[in-house]
Amino acid sequence: MTNCRICGGNVREFFDFGRQPVSDAFIDPSGGETEFFYQLAVGYCTACAMVQQLKEVSRDRMFPADYPYRSSGSAVMREHFAATADRFLATELAGDDPFYVEIGCNDGILLGAISRAGVRHLGVDPAEGAVEVARAHGCRVRDGFFEAATGVGIRAAEGPAQLIFSANTISHIGYIDSIFAGADALLAPGGVFVFEDRYVGDIIENTYFDQVYDEHFYLFGVRSVRNMARRFGFDLVDVEHLPVHGGAMRYTTARAGERVPTDAVGDWLAVEEKGLTELSVYEEFGARVETNSRALVELLTSLRAEGRSVVGYGATSKSATVTNYCGIGPELIPFICDSTPEKQGRLTPGSRIPILPPAAFSDPYPDYAVLFAWNHAAEIMAKERAFREADGRWILYVPDVHIV
Ligand code: SAM
Ligand code: TMP
Ligand code: ZN
């Protein structure tokens, strides 16, 4: 039995992906580095409903100074965060001399807009390479991990924050008690701690099994986040479903008793009551993962036997789970194209598939491309329209294996 990282309750394992590498630890082909692997299994806490991994990878392994992910690589995400910044500037940051703090600001995709608006701000992120990019765009950023002491230190040095925001980061952090303690120390009276992360309901419903990888330590839902916030002295006061990354949820939390929850919280709790509170729902997801994975390997193997060329598109963190769980290496997918300079010339973790710039995609076009960055499908398919016009076909493996 494993104890819940949030409440200490009983976590029931529902799927084991086996030995997996650190999803963003792209390999330098010239170096003799030994790769780190760990057992990636997920479970459901029957006490507080939090879906979580059974083993934790240390934060220094997942988020080293040269962490390669760059948020600004997607036009859709740039628009999403620009709209988010506008909303914050018109609401929580509309008062006199507001102060905004962002946990996991990466390359400043959102923080840049706050900075350009002339609002006092501070980002906190350990990924020094990404932080340099944010600073070059005029953002104030502190290198390092946010935790309780960071919140206390920022409050002492710069005063209270009206808004603490974090996107696609809080669910990556096992030590959430420390994050909420830091938020409590730093928030102004009536201030809010808002975070958005992939939504467990979308992941289960659509069998997005590749959303399970080291960084996604928790898969948040409305019920589990409400319980978590309560445990750490906060109320969940609003939720908003977002279309990005295949489905995400924005959670607004405030110190207990400071704000009245909106109807959306109760509405989403009712939705989850019907579909996410039974262990069997998660076990059925596990069965579908096996079916989809087998179908993907069978498709790639038969295409190879027919002499068709297949490459990958988007060396996402998600692709680590797919390639390593399915046992897909360069013999089935000789390379993956990716627009991130920090990933090009490297090999995918574990599966060791070379990563090439997008220019390699059309040189010549393959017969098929596995779209690992399916969350950016509309943007990538529009950009690569000529591939379809040249009779190329996209292979998707969620919600099931299909060709478009
Ligand atoms: N917010 C961006 C977005 O939504 O695209 C970046 C998301 S990226 C997946 C997660 C970021 O959180 C990384 O840049 C990582 O370095 C940072 N991070 C991880 N743990 C953190 C912590 N405890 N405090 C601050 N940043 C953290
Ligand atoms: P993400 O799913 O974690 O956001 O990662 C998306 C990956 O896909 C990232 O490595 C960048 C890459 N990508 C491209 O290669 N071309 C594109 O047009 C987009 C939007 C992303
Ligand atoms: Zn629990």
Side-chain angles (χ1 to χ4, degrees), residues 18-40:
R19 258 167 50 93
Q20 290 282 339
V22 171
S23 62
D24 270 309
F26 294 91
I27 303 165
D28 178 351
S30 63
E33 306 161 42
T34 27
E35 265 191 284
F36 170 84
F37 288 89
Y38 82 115
Q39 197 74 16
L40 174 58

Side-chain angles (χ1 to χ4, degrees), residues 114-285:
I114 302 289
S115 164
R116 282 191 293 279
V119 167
R120 272 198 309 130
H121 64 275
L122 183 67
V124 183
D125 197 307
E128 287 171 26
V131 162
E132 280 310 316
V133 178
R135 289 197 184 119
H137 289 100
C139 301
R140 280 186 68 228
V141 189
R142 196 186 260 215
D143 293 341
F145 292 94
F146 186 92
E147 56 193 3
T150 327
V152 173
I154 297 172
R155 164 75 186 235
E158 315 208 20
Q162 279 63 39
L163 171 62
I164 302 174
F165 178 69
S166 187
N168 306 302
T169 302
I170 301 303
S171 67
H172 302 30
I173 298 177
Y175 46 99
I176 289 192
D177 48 345
S178 178
I179 300 292
F180 272 94
D184 187 29
L186 177 54
L187 278 181
V192 282
F193 174 28
V194 181
F195 48 95
E196 63 185 58
D197 287 272
R198 269 64 162 185
Y199 178 53
V200 68
D202 292 306
I203 294 173
I204 298 296
E205 185 181 337
N206 299 297
T207 320
Y208 290 153
F209 65 102
D210 54 346
Q211 292 285 18
V212 182
Y213 55 89
D214 56 347
E215 291 175 23
H216 292 176
F217 181 74
Y218 298 108
L219 300 182
F220 286 165
V222 175
R223 177 169 305 270
S224 57
V225 167
R226 182 199 54 170
N227 292 341
M228 173 175 87
R230 269 192 189 156
R231 176 163 285 270
F232 303 132
F234 281 64
D235 288 336
L236 177 61
V237 297
D238 195 19
V239 290
E240 183 186 359
H241 190 242
L242 307 167
V244 295
H245 290 309
M249 194 70 83
R250 182 175 293 160
Y251 305 93
T252 301
T253 68
R255 283 195 198 87
E258 285 191 350
R259 290 201 188 190
V260 179
T262 61
D263 290 346
V265 176
D267 294 348
W268 276 98
L269 287 172
V271 168
E272 292 189 0
E273 191 65 44
K274 288 194 212 112
L276 285 174
T277 52
E278 297 291 332
L279 182 64
S280 60
V281 170
Y282 300 91
E283 288 169 341
E284 285 158 17
F285 162 87

Side-chain angles (χ1 to χ4, degrees), residues 24 26 68-71 73-77 198 211 213 245 313-318 337-340 343-344 356 358 372-377 379-381 383-384:
D24 270 309
F26 294 91
Y69 184 70
R70 296 291 179 269
S71 303
S74 156
V76 170
M77 293 312 295
R198 269 64 162 185
Q211 292 285 18
Y213 55 89
H245 290 309
Y313 205 109
T316 56
S317 337
K318 297 185 286 298
C337 299
D338 194 286
S339 58
T340 317
K343 296 183 184 180
Q344 294 162 4
L356 299 179
F372 290 112
W374 52 261
N375 47 321
H376 302 291
E379 183 173 345
I380 291 173
M381 286 181 186
K383 194 183 284 179
E384 301 290 0

